[in-house]
Amino acid sequence: MTPRTAENGRPAIKALPEPPDLPPPLPEPAVADIRLETVLAALSDPLRLRIVRKLLLESEKFDHTCGWFGLDRPKSSLTHHFKALREAGITRQRQYGLERRSHVRIADLDARFPGLLDLVADWTPPER
Amino acid sequence: MTPRTAENGRPAIKALPEPPDLPPPLPEPAVADIRLETVLAALSDPLRLRIVRKLLLESEKFDHTCGWFGLDRPKSSLTHHFKALREAGITRQRQYGLERRSHVRIADLDARFPGLLDLVADWTPPER
DNA sequence: TGCTATGTTCGACTCAAGTCGTACTGAGTG
DNA sequence: CACTCAGTACGACTTGAGTCGAACATAGCA
């Protein structure tokens, strides 16, 4: 594992290479249009913080469906939160048949807001 | 000016030494109790982002009154926002006679969320 | 004593966000 | 074709945040 920050010993957060031919991403802001206010607002919700953190720390394959997260909420709520993350520029979503899979736009966010994703990865959810 | 981060050339953001005898701070969370969700929510408002950024970049004396910011809002709105910043653990406020002066808890925030204040300092307000 | 200046407190209003149920869509499968 | 499964779309509800005006509090000063 290549560490994300050389100083600490935390596991790496690494952008996975994108396979060549993929379904096009759902509508999302361009890198230059990602706004700090919007990103912070999107990340101020504990559920979305959990989603992004889990994507950062536990991603195995290229991207993951809503169901992979094991969130105990109705589907309509999940749609809401995943849409918020995508429209803020935090995640990218692609349609694979029926499934809509998400991953974090690591390179884009690192370029725009260096260090931000480390804070998310280090976050600990509030107990109970 | 000692740079906050050695790599870039941005002006320093430095915690100023606290004079020995000061009025006690208004109620605020302890360092360990500062929550990322809360901080991000507090910073997701453009006006508060402006306040913190201005404190980081233009602070000259130890701390500043509400009026120093030159914000064109009624006083009750300012009270609301400064309280939100203080209760999130971002700023510290002290009462000097009639005035309530604020400064950013730089050391505390750096310890808890390294890099976060750099993002605020680098932020550019939306035009118009 | 009164005036001014700084800022709080309260309550009202508006609006956005989170929450969810229900109905729908569209791909895969038998 | 009928069925299931992943997820969207829509609308309703509730809550909390931002907005502000008006009234109040208090330190300093003339």
Side-chain angles (χ1 to χ4, degrees):
Chain A
M1 279 197 196
T2 65
R4 178 179 177 79
T5 52
E7 310 80 48
N8 63 27
R10 194 159 43 64
I13 303 173
K14 189 172 62 170
L16 294 158
E18 303 205 1
D21 49 349
L22 289 178
L26 299 181
E28 66 181 22
V31 198
D33 294 335
I34 301 181
R35 301 271 337 154
L36 183 61
E37 317 86 284
T38 314
V39 170
L40 296 186
L43 293 178
S44 68
D45 183 278
L47 187 71
R48 292 196 288 256
L49 220 33
R50 279 182 55 189
I51 290 174
V52 178
R53 179 168 170 268
K54 186 170 174 92
L55 275 176
L56 289 176
L57 298 180
E58 303 177 25
S59 277
E60 294 157 1
K61 296 187 284 227
F62 174 61
D63 37 15
H64 297 272
T65 79
C66 294
W68 174 75
F69 296 88
L71 301 166
D72 190 20
R73 301 288 176 94
K75 292 184 291 181
S76 50
S77 297
L78 298 184
T79 299
H80 172 72
H81 289 292
F82 279 95
K83 183 179 178 188
L85 287 172
R86 174 171 51 83
E87 292 183 339
I90 299 173
T91 57
R92 172 165 298 148
Q93 287 186 292
R94 286 193 162 91
Q95 193 86 29
Y96 292 80
L98 266 187
E99 297 171 344
R100 190 166 285 196
R101 294 175 166 267
S102 303
H103 70 275
V104 179
R105 296 171 63 179
I106 296 184
D108 290 345
L109 290 171
D110 276 351
R112 201 101 173 68
F113 310 119
L116 180 62
L117 290 183
D118 290 301
L119 300 179
V120 176
D122 286 337
W123 176 71
T124 49
E127 62 243 31
R128 190 68 315 267
Chain B
M1 280 197 194
T2 66
R4 179 178 176 79
T5 53
E7 309 81 50
N8 62 27
R10 196 159 41 65
I13 303 173
K14 190 173 61 170
L16 295 157
E18 302 205 2
D21 49 348
L22 289 178
L26 299 182
E28 66 181 23
V31 197
D33 294 335
I34 302 181
R35 301 266 344 150
L36 183 60
E37 317 87 282
T38 315
V39 170
L40 296 185
L43 292 178
S44 68
D45 184 277
L47 187 71
R48 292 195 288 255
L49 220 34
R50 279 182 54 190
I51 291 174
V52 178
R53 178 169 171 269
K54 186 170 174 91
L55 275 177
L56 288 176
L57 298 180
E58 302 178 25
S59 276
E60 293 158 2
K61 297 188 285 224
F62 174 60
D63 36 16
H64 296 272
T65 79
C66 294
W68 174 76
F69 296 89
L71 302 166
D72 190 19
R73 303 288 176 92
K75 293 183 290 181
S76 51
S77 298
L78 298 184
T79 299
H80 171 72
H81 289 291
F82 279 95
K83 184 180 177 186
L85 287 172
R86 174 171 51 83
E87 292 184 339
I90 299 173
T91 57
R92 172 164 297 147
Q93 287 186 292
R94 286 193 162 90
Q95 192 86 29
Y96 291 82
L98 266 187
E99 297 171 344
R100 189 166 286 196
R101 294 177 165 265
S102 303
H103 69 275
V104 180
R105 296 171 62 178
I106 297 184
D108 290 344
L109 289 171
D110 277 350
R112 201 103 173 68
F113 310 119
L116 180 61
L117 290 183
D118 290 302
L119 299 179
V120 177
D122 286 337
W123 177 71
T124 50
E127 63 243 30
R128 187 70 312 270

